[in-house]
Amino acid sequence: MAGRTAHAGERLPAVPGVGAIIAVASGKGGVGKSTTAVNLALGLRDLGLKVGMLDADIYGPSVPKLLAIKGKPEMLGGSKLRPMDGYG
């Protein structure tokens, strides 16, 4: 899809190669956003879909704990992060 432009009434994906984006958000802390996001991702994975998560919580990133991810992200080519794997 690289280089394609939208025609009248047509929308291109916000992120090339990604069919859908689901955001889990709240204006309040401690309400289970990370737990909900992880359970949603694992449920979609169990349905056979490819799933990726981005945890933008700067105060207490709990997604690595919930997915038993250890270590630090690695850079690819200086401009991208290599995705870390947790539960497939």
Side-chain angles (χ1 to χ4, degrees):
M1 218 182 276
R4 248 188 86 201
T5 57
H7 298 287
E10 179 186 20
R11 287 184 54 193
L12 292 177
V15 180
V18 175
I21 297 173
I22 301 171
V24 177
S26 170
K28 181 176 180 348
V31 295
K33 295 176 296 288
S34 295
T35 303
T36 298
V38 166
N39 285 326
L40 182 60
L42 293 176
L44 292 170
R45 179 213 55 190
D46 290 348
L47 292 174
L49 300 171
K50 285 186 173 183
V51 178
M53 285 190 63
L54 172 65
D55 183 11
D57 187 344
I58 59 172
Y59 293 108
S62 56
V63 170
K65 287 181 186 177
L66 292 167
L67 292 174
I69 295 173
K70 305 283 186 215
K72 296 193 182 265
E74 297 175 29
M75 294 297 290
L76 293 174
S79 63
K80 294 183 180 182
L81 289 173
R82 177 185 306 275
M84 299 179 79
D85 188 79
Y87 296 110

